[in-house]
Amino acid sequence: MSTAIHYEREGDIAVLKAQNPPVNALGIDIRKGLLEGIERAEREGAHAVLIYGDGRTYFAGADIKEFGKPPQDPYLPDLCNRIEASPLIVVSALHGTALGGGLEVALSSHYRIAVPSAKMGLPEVHLGILPGAGGTQRLPRVAGTQRALEMITSGRHFGAKEALEAGIIDRIAEGDVRTIGLAYTQELLDQGAERRAVGEMPAPEVVDFDALYEATLKKGRGQLSPATCVRAVQAAAEAPSLAEGLKRERELFMELMNSEQRLGLIHAFFSERAVSKLPELKGVEPRPLAAIGVIGGGTMGAGIATAALLAGLSVVMLEMSAEAAEAAKGRIAGNLQGALKRGKITEDQFTRLTEEALTLAVDYAALSEADLVIEAVFEEMSVKKEVFGKLDAHCKQGAILATNTSYLDVNEIAAATSRPEDVIGLHFFSPAHVMKLLEVVVADKTALDVVATGFELGKRLKKISVRAGVCDGFIGNRILATYRKAADHMVLDGASPYQIDKALTDFGFAMGPFAVADLAGLDIGWAVRKRKRAEGLDPRERDSSYVDKICEAGNFGQKTGKGYYIYEVGKRGGVPNPEVSDLIASERAEKGITPRAFSDEEIVTRYMAAMVNEAAKVVGEGIARRPLDVDMTLLFGYGFPRYRGGPLKWADIQGLEKLLGHIRTYAEEDAYFWSPAPLLEQLVAEGRSFDDLNKENS
Ligand code: 3HC
Ligand code: NAI
């Protein structure tokens, strides 16, 4: 007997209560228990069956941990068919999140009731698969083809009200889920209601599936699961029977289940949850976090303040002058206007956030009560040190002093204070109130509870927080600097920035590196290059200067309307700037380089090899704890395609030996840039993968 489903009788009703915390995933024990429960109810003469979930939710889906393992009987699709075929009246009562296989069990039941707060959805596309237990066949039969397609291809969650309007549930009732479920089932019995199987309803309407398939494929930027769902729903409308439709759904489901994209997306699902769970933080209490100070209200400071205000924290914004502080407030208000327009906050909240929760200051005394201060002033060590000296003098005991520096040495900044244990890097990404990534940069002397508070802040701001060690650029910008150099080398050798951007967006990146540089501002990279050259470049390093010439002419990318691309006001994206090709041609001539042709495939391989090699160095040196930390950094901060899982998951899928082979070949022409990462060599020698390291360190 399975204990995951508790069976009991309430008069004529057999009650099946799921107990598989935390989310009642439909693992083998639950499936066995449901099957046994239905059979027992039929055997013992019940008239109806009520299915509901104990704890926080109805079934939140199939058990994702079982994916990739040999399937175990009873299979979910068969179970759903069995529930639907029962001669008894089967009712599901929903609360929490009835997702994926959960909603499919509900759709196989004959009637559905939900509490008002219940959420539903078929989010399988986000895992690289499709609803594989009849969801693509049953949902369109109740909600109609168009509506079902939108829900399935987007994978979005929807509320009980929308589900009721769409015919997905039959009733909404307030109260305890078991109580409302029992009352509804009894009412159905009292009325002599008929068994009502969704699968026996007429097939949904036929639409132009080919056009929808193409449109969905395009929108998915290379992700296959949403478009494949269109074909499955097409089978619901066009197949001669439910059984045939289900068969087609199964074929397509298996195709996706065996795909690399499914591997990537499942890796992303679990890594997103694992990334902020660090063994050393177990049981470490974060420090109190209510009042925040932000120093410098430019692009980043204003964004950070916005995020903090939206998370319910009070913010003191300190600037260099009263005028600069007012300007910072203007930027914050502008950001909050966006939230107001999107309905995320009300007018009243907007006023409260800008007029009460936010305070402007020019004097450090205003920071004396702050629990945590984040500095976002100019990227200059001398300025940072001056600011931290003042913070040391004015902030209360135990206050956390954080820097948002992109590249500077956090140890050196910490040394400007008498309390380096309270100093940490909190590296946000632009725009800080939108981008999900937060690098929590741990310096040599940072106390553990300060690290825990960094992660706590990330959680409050709804960020994906990644632990990083101190080095030039931490995890993300350090890896970016390397793959960006690989792109620059290819430009010198014959590829155009536009071919490179196109090859990489075709690979699935949100943007190519040159379009990204235009968006971030070419002045940022220019300043870094100047700093590096001043420090002295290694003579073996290939340097390129054509982009400096763009900057020297006052062109910094999107913000000045011109960079690698030319941007017209009001238009999204830009067109290639012809001056750039001329500048590149003269630099090649100066350096005596005869340009050669690059295939898109070679561009992607070199770019990704550079990224993976540097990422392996970052993990090998302990800057990132685990490969998955790099993967999440690139996914949430650098537009890496989620369906590829991250650069190191991608590397595992390609095969590390093959990749190291490419790096060694490239090293024959430039041994300095392409020096293989020792960790990569070690993994290849030992026949292990990055994922093995993830497992060993989680
Ligand atoms: N299978 C296995 N484990 C799951 C799971 C699932 N379907 N859903 C969640 N979990 C685990 C999480 O990994 C996490 O584990 P951890 O504590 O060890 O890290 C734990 O349950 C709690 O999850 P969250 O931290 O995400 O809790 P939240 O309250 O923030 O969110 C949720 C709950 C909305 C249910 C969210 O977990 C979620 O979206 N889950 C995935 C839902 C989903 O995709 N379902 C479809 C599955 S595929 C399917 O059903 C195929 C079918 O069509 C054949
Ligand atoms: P910015 O130039 O837009 O803003 C800096 C602000 O700091 C200005 O408003 C200036 O008035 C103020 N300021 C300067 N010195 C000050 C001082 N001594 N006291 C008080 N205020 C002072 O710069 P931005 O882009 O916001 O960058 C800030 C920091 O964030 C830098 O360290 C940068 O490296 C980092 N960063 C920038 C990102 C970006 O994309 N712009 C991304 C992530 C980090």
Side-chain angles (χ1 to χ4, degrees):
M1 243 342 246
S2 161
T3 52
I5 294 285
H6 178 262
Y7 181 99
E8 65 181 309
R9 277 291 285 270
E10 286 276 354
D12 288 335
I13 305 169
V15 182
L16 308 188
K17 175 173 72 171
Q19 8 187 59
N20 184 21
V23 298
N24 281 320
L26 288 149
I28 179 66
D29 289 344
I30 286 274
R31 300 199 301 277
K32 273 189 182 154
L34 280 174
L35 183 61
E36 284 165 8
I38 292 278
E39 284 173 349
R40 182 169 166 191
E42 290 171 5
R43 207 170 49 238
E44 293 183 359
H47 292 179
V49 178
L50 169 67
I51 302 173
Y52 79 100
D54 197 16
R56 62 196 235 206
T57 185
Y58 187 76
F59 313 106
D63 188 340
I64 304 171
K65 293 194 181 87
E66 288 181 354
F67 289 8
K69 297 185 185 153
Q72 281 180 280
D73 199 16
Y75 312 123
L76 191 56
D78 296 343
L79 177 65
C80 286
N81 294 341
R82 177 66 182 83
I83 292 171
E84 184 170 72
S86 177
L88 310 182
I89 288 186
V90 185
V91 178
S92 271
L94 316 182
H95 79 299
T97 43
L99 301 174
L103 186 57
E104 291 175 300
V105 170
L107 286 166
S108 309
S109 309
H110 304 139
Y111 295 89
R112 289 159 291 282
I113 183 168
V115 299
S117 60
K119 292 256 185 291
M120 283 153 252
L122 292 174
E124 283 87 344
V125 283
H126 300 309
L127 302 172
I129 54 172
L130 53 74
T136 65
Q137 308 303 298
R138 292 192 177 95
L139 190 71
R141 281 178 158 84
V142 289
T145 301
Q146 291 285 8
R147 201 159 189 166
L149 269 172
E150 185 278 318
M151 287 171 164
I152 297 172
T153 57
S154 71
R156 73 181 170 87
H157 297 184
F158 44 86
K161 196 161 158 260
E162 185 179 351
L164 185 69
E165 278 163 19
I168 297 166
I169 57 173
D170 303 291
R171 186 179 287 187
I172 297 176
E174 302 259 5
D176 163 67
V177 71
R178 177 190 166 92
T179 313
I180 63 161
L182 274 174
Y184 184 46
T185 313
Q186 191 58 53
E187 188 186 316
L188 289 165
L189 284 178
D190 293 346
Q191 286 170 354
E194 300 266 315
R195 181 187 154 273
R196 194 196 53 179
V198 173
E200 291 164 20
M201 292 178 182
E205 71 273 22
V206 172
V207 296
D208 186 347
F209 287 106
D210 288 346
L212 277 167
Y213 176 84
E214 290 304 330
T216 312
L217 196 59
K218 197 159 166 226
K219 201 170 153 209
R221 280 218 215 105
Q223 190 180 334
L224 296 173
S225 50
T228 311
C229 288
V230 176
R231 293 304 187 206
V233 172
Q234 180 171 10
E238 294 178 357
S241 65
L242 175 76
E244 285 296 319
L246 287 171
K247 201 171 138 219
R248 181 77 183 125
E249 178 191 81
R250 183 100 300 239
E251 285 164 9
L252 294 167
F253 177 82
M254 289 315 294
E255 231 173 66
L256 292 175
M257 194 52 126
N258 293 326
S259 70
E260 290 179 357
Q261 294 196 358
R262 192 272 295 171
L263 289 176
L265 285 162
I266 298 282
H267 172 72
F269 178 87
F270 285 118
S271 300
E272 199 178 319
R273 287 162 175 78
V275 71
S276 53
K277 287 183 190 146
L278 294 174
E280 73 261 33
L281 294 185
K282 236 187 195 157
V284 180
E285 270 298 307
R287 294 185 188 176
L289 204 55
I292 302 275
V294 177
I295 307 187
T299 313
M300 292 308 290
I304 295 167
T306 308
L309 288 168
L310 285 171
L313 298 161
S314 75
V315 176
V316 175
M317 165 58 71
L318 188 137
E319 258 288 354
M320 293 206 283
S321 64
E323 296 76 50
E326 275 303 328
K329 184 177 175 180
R331 279 188 278 276
I332 296 168
N335 292 340
L336 290 172
Q337 280 287 353
L340 180 64
K341 259 192 219 141
R342 285 192 307 279
K344 296 226 156 140
I345 50 170
T346 61
E347 282 280 358
D348 278 358
Q349 280 169 315
F350 176 84
T351 312
R352 207 187 56 71
L353 292 183
T354 47
E355 302 307 324
E356 288 170 33
L358 174 69
T359 321
L360 301 181
V362 289
D363 189 333
Y364 279 72
L367 296 172
S368 61
E369 287 312 308
D371 299 310
L372 182 149
V373 180
I374 305 171
E375 160 282 309
V377 303
F378 302 135
E379 184 77 340
E380 278 281 339
M381 185 54 93
S382 56
V383 185
K384 305 271 189 203
K385 280 185 172 170
E386 193 194 320
V387 167
F388 273 76
K390 287 188 187 153
L391 286 176
D392 194 20
H394 288 90
C395 289
K396 68 182 179 189
Q397 200 63 30
I400 295 174
L401 314 181
T403 172
N404 182 49
T405 180
S406 307
Y407 291 94
L408 300 177
D409 183 346
V410 184
N411 285 318
E412 199 179 331
I413 296 174
T417 73
S418 64
R419 34 174 143 170
E421 65 281 3
D422 293 338
V423 177
I424 192 165
L426 290 176
H427 184 217
F428 289 82
F429 289 72
S430 180
H433 58 298
V434 177
M435 292 292 285
K436 294 278 280 178
L437 182 63
L438 174 66
E439 280 182 309
V440 178
V441 185
V442 181
D444 291 350
K445 294 190 178 155
T446 311
L448 263 188
D449 62 345
V450 172
V451 182
T453 316
F455 277 94
E456 176 62 23
L457 177 74
K459 197 163 133 194
R460 294 249 205 119
L461 304 188
K462 299 198 175 74
K463 303 284 180 206
I464 301 289
S465 307
V466 180
R467 183 200 186 281
V470 176
C471 68
D472 199 356
F474 317 122
I475 299 178
N477 281 347
R478 172 169 161 185
I479 298 172
L480 162 74
T482 302
Y483 62 75
R484 174 54 214 245
K485 267 186 217 156
D488 279 331
H489 295 172
M490 287 191 274
V491 168
L492 283 181
D493 291 337
S496 84
Y498 315 107
Q499 185 195 359
I500 292 176
D501 274 359
K502 169 85 172 46
L504 291 162
T505 48
D506 287 350
F507 175 81
F509 276 97
M511 291 167 95
F514 299 99
V516 168
D518 269 1
L519 178 67
L522 298 183
D523 46 330
I524 295 184
W526 193 28
V528 174
R529 283 193 301 282
K530 282 196 275 196
R531 174 167 64 85
K532 293 260 165 97
R533 285 178 194 138
E535 287 164 11
L537 291 186
D538 189 291
R540 294 167 296 176
E541 179 155 354
R542 292 183 77 185
D543 195 15
S544 59
S545 60
Y546 71 93
V547 54
D548 300 334
K549 301 208 170 71
I550 310 176
C551 297
E552 282 158 21
N555 297 317
F556 298 142
Q558 282 202 21
K559 62 185 164 195
T560 58
K562 207 178 192 186
Y564 288 100
Y565 296 85
I566 294 176
Y567 301 88
E568 246 182 75
V569 184
K571 271 201 181 162
R572 270 194 117 183
V575 294
N577 175 1
E579 293 163 26
V580 172
S581 305
D582 296 343
L583 291 171
I584 293 169
S586 17
E587 185 166 1
R588 285 181 192 143
E590 251 170 53
K591 291 191 153 77
I593 298 169
T594 312
R596 70 172 177 90
F598 280 79
S599 68
D600 289 357
E601 196 191 342
E602 183 180 355
I603 287 172
V604 169
T605 308
R606 281 181 178 261
Y607 192 78
M608 288 304 301
M611 189 183 300
V612 170
N613 199 35
E614 191 64 28
K617 289 178 187 172
V618 161
V619 176
E621 291 168 23
I623 298 298
R625 275 287 163 81
R626 302 154 296 186
L628 69 86
D629 294 327
V630 171
D631 285 344
M632 295 308 100
T633 302
L634 270 290
L635 234 59
F636 289 99
Y638 296 82
F640 192 93
R642 187 179 171 96
Y643 62 80
R644 296 192 189 272
L648 296 181
K649 183 66 188 176
W650 177 86
D652 274 352
I653 293 172
Q654 300 308 300
L656 300 189
E657 198 170 353
K658 184 170 119 191
L659 211 72
L660 181 60
H662 286 308
I663 292 169
R664 287 190 171 136
T665 311
Y666 303 150
E668 287 167 16
E669 58 192 54
D670 182 352
Y672 177 72
F673 182 74
W674 289 105
S675 76
L679 177 65
L680 185 58
E681 290 181 315
Q682 185 192 336
L683 289 176
V684 170
E686 293 171 357
R688 291 196 302 152
S689 67
F690 287 114
D691 225 23
D692 291 333
L693 290 183
N694 285 330
K695 292 193 186 108
E696 287 160 20
N697 292 292
S698 287

